[in-house]
Amino acid sequence: MTLARRDLLKSFATASFMPSLTRLTPPPRIARALAHTGAVDWTAVRQLFPLAPDWTHLSSFLFVSHPKPVADAIDHFRRKIDSDAVWIEQAAFSDAEGRPFQAVKRSLADYIGGSPTEIALTSNTTTALAMAYQGLRIRADQEIVTTEHDHYSHHQSIRFAADRSGARMRYISMFDTPASARVEQIVERVARAITPKTRAIGVTWVQSSTGIKTPIAGIAEAVARANRGRAPADRCLLIVDGVHGFANQDVDVAKLGADFFASGTHKWLFAPRGTGFLWGRAEVWPELRPTIPSFDPDAIDTLFGAWADRRELPPTQAAFVSPGGFMAYEHILAIPAAVELHRTIGRPALAARIAELNGAFRDGAAAIPGVTLHTPRDPALS
């Protein structure tokens, strides 16, 4: 008699009992400060991070140290896995542990204003971009347009996809100089670059090279106009590298107008290092092919069944695109603790504080003799 792996996993789950998942919440002093005064104690927030006190830290564009609630969550899941390695399969494929992988997607979906079924979990922005471009259904007679200002990871993901498919990669400039950039100029240049052969437009929400906040909503409207009357295989998809804008603004990114949005969570969201996601609108996921076999619990029954029966896969779902293989599960499962911390502090308060500090830095830098400020002062672009 043979036993399918998924049935074996179910038998593990029913044969074992593990305690229910503990809800991990931020330290009470922040919640009390918010409840009693309506204001955030930023000193208390800073004390959540084990940063060296003798430095001024300006590195959130890279990644953050783990704040205490996130570190506690990581340790919680690490101890579970270390004490019983089978626990991770029970947590992934049964109800015995409260479905923590689904909790990760729910927390991210709630934060971005989307649906859990629209999210593929990745380890960082670079991987998310690679999943989008390497999976893109594109013909040799089509092209991908991107900007001169995008990051190495974005450009290389596009280049590799173009090399493999035979499609063209084309660069455009959104502005002449960043300090003089205007919203309408950026939108107009992107709109003008779209041709009937354009299969995708790749842009960055907040450019690490200039500090410019790209007007994604305006670009999305231009893409929508260009797509009128196009067949699905000819539609231009808007793919956004969102990592430097994600979680430092009070914005539901799933409502910005992008087709796909790639981001790490280990920067402004304060989530564990080595975590990220690719979000896509439900109707556009079939425009991608999976690149790496997925272990996503939301996909494994379908994928495993198709593999075992030698059947074709159904149209692509987000879960099919989550890269498989064993990962740092304690980091992935601790993402909800970071979202909960953001919710406790308050997304509007965090966005306002970050804007205040960045504004103070720009104003101060501009006043220093010999310093040229390249980032625009306009809040709509900065």
Side-chain angles (χ1 to χ4, degrees):
M1 180 181 116
T2 60
L3 186 63
R5 184 173 184 272
R6 51 188 161 177
D7 294 329
L8 180 63
L9 295 176
K10 290 175 183 175
S11 71
F12 284 156
T14 54
S16 305
F17 172 78
M18 294 291 287
S20 61
L21 209 59
T22 303
R23 188 168 186 270
L24 300 156
T25 56
R29 63 178 179 275
I30 292 182
R32 283 199 303 270
L34 288 167
H36 290 300
T37 67
V40 178
D41 182 347
W42 293 112
T43 299
V45 171
R46 192 186 192 284
Q47 289 172 351
L48 295 176
F49 297 83
L51 294 162
D54 53 338
W55 286 88
T56 296
H57 297 272
L58 303 172
S59 62
S60 289
F61 71 94
L62 185 63
F63 51 57
V64 296
S65 65
H66 293 149
K68 190 176 190 308
V70 173
D72 288 348
I74 293 170
D75 187 57
H76 169 80
F77 291 112
R78 179 189 58 77
R79 284 185 282 106
K80 276 186 170 291
I81 298 168
D82 284 347
S83 65
D84 180 5
V86 175
W87 179 87
I88 196 64
E89 290 194 320
Q90 295 170 335
F93 301 114
S94 81
D95 292 324
E97 295 302 311
R99 298 281 182 175
F101 285 92
Q102 291 182 357
V104 172
K105 290 186 182 180
R106 283 197 307 270
S107 67
L108 285 173
D110 179 61
Y111 191 85
I112 68 175
S115 166
T117 60
E118 298 170 333
I119 291 174
L121 295 176
T122 69
S123 54
N124 48 57
T125 314
T126 299
T127 303
L129 290 169
M131 296 298 98
Y133 287 108
Q134 290 299 315
L136 181 63
R137 297 177 189 273
I138 185 171
R139 303 188 305 268
D141 64 330
Q142 295 177 316
E143 67 176 8
I144 301 172
V145 175
T146 189
T147 81
E148 298 283 1
H149 325 291
D150 277 73
H151 191 271
Y152 158 84
S153 294
H154 202 163
H155 282 168
Q156 289 298 90
S157 290
I158 296 172
R159 176 179 290 177
F160 295 155
D163 287 347
R164 192 172 75 170
S165 65
R168 180 189 179 197
M169 178 181 182
R170 183 159 57 91
Y171 299 88
I172 65 169
S173 178
M174 289 179 158
F175 42 77
D176 296 323
T177 61
S180 64
R182 294 174 289 107
V183 169
E184 59 274 17
Q185 174 194 54
I186 291 174
V187 173
E188 192 274 333
R189 288 193 180 188
V190 173
R192 197 171 59 209
I194 302 173
T195 75
K197 295 183 180 295
T198 306
R199 180 59 167 140
I201 289 274
V203 301
T204 292
W205 190 10
V206 175
Q207 298 172 0
S208 57
S209 58
T210 66
I212 282 182
K213 182 171 66 176
T214 305
I216 299 298
I219 292 173
E221 291 174 3
V223 171
R225 287 194 299 271
N227 278 329
R228 289 172 186 160
R230 292 196 188 192
D234 296 320
R235 287 187 74 256
C236 176
L237 301 176
L238 177 57
I239 302 175
V240 176
D241 173 351
V243 68
H244 288 296
F246 177 59
N248 61 27
Q249 298 173 70
D250 186 20
V251 173
D252 288 337
V253 299
K255 300 174 183 176
L256 277 172
D259 290 294
F260 291 102
F261 183 96
S263 182
T265 64
H266 46 234
K267 297 180 188 282
W268 297 99
L269 189 63
F270 317 145
R273 292 183 283 273
T275 58
F277 66 95
L278 177 65
W279 170 86
R281 293 189 297 108
E283 59 268 32
V284 298
W285 277 106
E287 300 304 319
L288 300 191
R289 295 183 180 91
T291 304
I292 297 174
S294 178
F295 288 9
D296 192 310
D298 292 331
I300 197 64
D301 277 350
T302 301
L303 299 176
F304 191 89
W307 167 74
D309 300 335
R310 306 298 190 264
R311 288 185 281 106
E312 291 294 320
L313 286 175
T316 302
Q317 304 167 22
F320 294 3
V321 177
S322 297
F326 285 4
M327 302 179 182
Y329 294 114
E330 60 268 47
H331 280 215
I332 295 169
L333 297 180
I335 290 174
V339 175
E340 183 72 15
L341 177 59
H342 258 244
R343 291 297 192 194
T344 302
I345 298 170
R347 196 170 73 174
L350 282 163
R353 177 65 169 170
I354 292 166
E356 175 190 4
L357 293 173
N358 278 283
F361 181 85
R362 285 192 300 274
D363 292 344
I368 299 174
V371 170
T372 300
L373 185 66
H374 294 282
T375 303
R377 307 292 281 275
D378 180 0
L381 284 172
S382 183

